[in-house]
């Protein structure tokens, strides 16, 4: 069975388990489900080996202002995250670390996809500056250009971007 098929089957099994448990697969606040259980955390634990040091999971489902829909989940064993070369993440974080680039991402999520549309907005700088910021975001993987002159956030980056933003708003 291919890795992609395994992931799809695992996702379906998770949804079925959530439906059968009555949680519906949705929850609010602090990651807890309607019954107060940690349904996502329980699903992660069920997939980890008993001798595991844990894992990190993020998942999401979003209908964007453009009516596009993104569902995505990703998880890694804690050991994998701790052993990784964290310096390699710097480019991705740096791309998000500029207010103009964050504004560009927000505008792109809301449907402004061309430089002309973005340049028409106030406080984003010159067309050349906008191109510079778009190149930074593209280089870091936060954007791609499916058509010449049209910028989009790859579907595999929508939920991670929203998760990164949610982390800045979460308590403690």
């Amino acid at each position: 069975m291919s890795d992609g098929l395994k992931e799809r089957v695992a996702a379906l099994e998770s949804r079925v388990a959530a439906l059968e448990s009555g949680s519906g697969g949705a929850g609010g606040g602090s990651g807890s489900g309607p019954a107060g259980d940690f349904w996502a955390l329980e699903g992660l634990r069920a997939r980890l080996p008993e001798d595991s040091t844990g894992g990190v999971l993020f998942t999401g489902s979003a209908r964007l202002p453009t009516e596009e829909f993104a569902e995505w989940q990703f998880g890694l064993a804690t050991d994998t995250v701790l052993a990784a070369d964290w310096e390699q993440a710097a480019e991705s974080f740096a791309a998000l670390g500029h207010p103009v680039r964050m504004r560009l991402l927000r505008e792109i999520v809301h449907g402004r996809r061309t430089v002309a549309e973005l340049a028409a907005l106030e406080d984003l700088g010159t067309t050349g500056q906008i191109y510079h910021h778009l190149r930074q975001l593209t280089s870091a993987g936060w954007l791609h250009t499916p058509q010449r002159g049209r910028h989009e956030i790859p579907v595999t980056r929508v939920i991670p971007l929203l998760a990164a933003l949610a982390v800045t708003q979460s308590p403690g």
Side-chain angles (χ1 to χ4, degrees), residues 52-130:
S52 171
T53 59
V56 177
L57 171 71
F58 59 97
T59 183
S61 175
R63 182 169 310 284
L64 302 177
T66 57
E67 293 301 315
E68 294 166 295
F69 192 74
E71 280 189 318
W72 197 71
Q73 68 180 23
F74 183 72
L76 288 171
T78 303
D79 291 341
T80 302
V81 177
L82 293 174
D85 180 2
W86 289 15
E87 289 81 14
Q88 288 186 355
E91 180 184 0
S92 186
F93 285 126
L96 298 178
H98 194 287
V100 171
R101 289 193 281 270
M102 292 303 293
R103 170 94 186 275
L104 287 169
L105 287 170
R106 185 175 191 277
E107 297 299 337
I108 290 167
V109 162
H110 282 83
R112 292 179 183 89
R113 304 282 170 88
T114 67
V115 173
E117 291 170 323
L118 296 167
L121 302 170
E122 292 185 27
D123 302 324
L124 288 178
T126 66
T127 301
Q129 291 168 326
I130 291 171

Side-chain angles (χ1 to χ4, degrees), residues 14-46:
S14 177
R15 287 181 175 177
V16 169
L19 290 170
E20 288 177 347
S21 72
S23 72
S30 301
S32 61
D37 63 337
F38 287 89
W39 54 269
L41 183 57
E42 289 170 8
L44 174 63
R45 285 184 186 140

